[in-house]
Amino acid sequence: TFNNVPKNLCNGACQVAVDTGTSMLAGPSDLVDKLSSMVNAKDDCSNFDDLPTLGFQIGDTVLNLRPDDYMDKSSSGCSFSIMSLDVPPPKGPV
């Protein structure tokens, strides 16, 4: 969701894996590219305060992330901090 509005990026068929061994969020490259494009964060952080709350719906529950949670912000700029991770068959795609 973006600001609690569903975007139906996977038509209700997203699959996820939870890895407690990393602090990074990751997803299939096509989905991460879509999210990054939709967030449209400026490299210079000029629109940081206007970025949406990014939510992941699991069943009837939405887990929201604030821009501080999904963006890396430093004195040199901003970057989307959800990384691409493509799992090949037979274990993927996820």
Side-chain angles (χ1 to χ4, degrees):
T1 65
F2 276 49
N3 294 325
N4 292 315
V5 176
K7 294 298 179 182
N8 298 314
L9 293 175
C10 350
N11 300 317
C14 290
Q15 295 182 348
V16 298
V18 178
D19 178 2
T20 59
T22 180
S23 61
M24 294 288 297
L25 292 174
S29 58
D30 60 333
L31 184 58
V32 171
D33 291 344
K34 283 181 194 177
L35 286 172
S36 179
S37 178
M38 291 173 72
V39 166
N40 196 29
K42 305 295 182 199
D43 290 338
D44 64 358
C45 302
S46 60
N47 66 340
F48 188 85
D49 292 333
D50 299 320
L51 295 177
T53 299
L54 186 57
F56 296 91
Q57 185 170 350
I58 300 172
D60 293 331
T61 302
V62 176
L63 305 173
N64 283 312
L65 300 176
R66 298 178 320 269
D68 286 338
D69 299 320
Y70 66 83
M71 296 295 299
D72 285 329
K73 184 178 179 184
S74 68
S75 59
S76 61
C78 284
S79 63
F80 194 59
S81 65
I82 299 177
M83 68 179 188
S84 296
L85 178 66
D86 294 309
V87 179
K91 299 200 184 249
V94 173

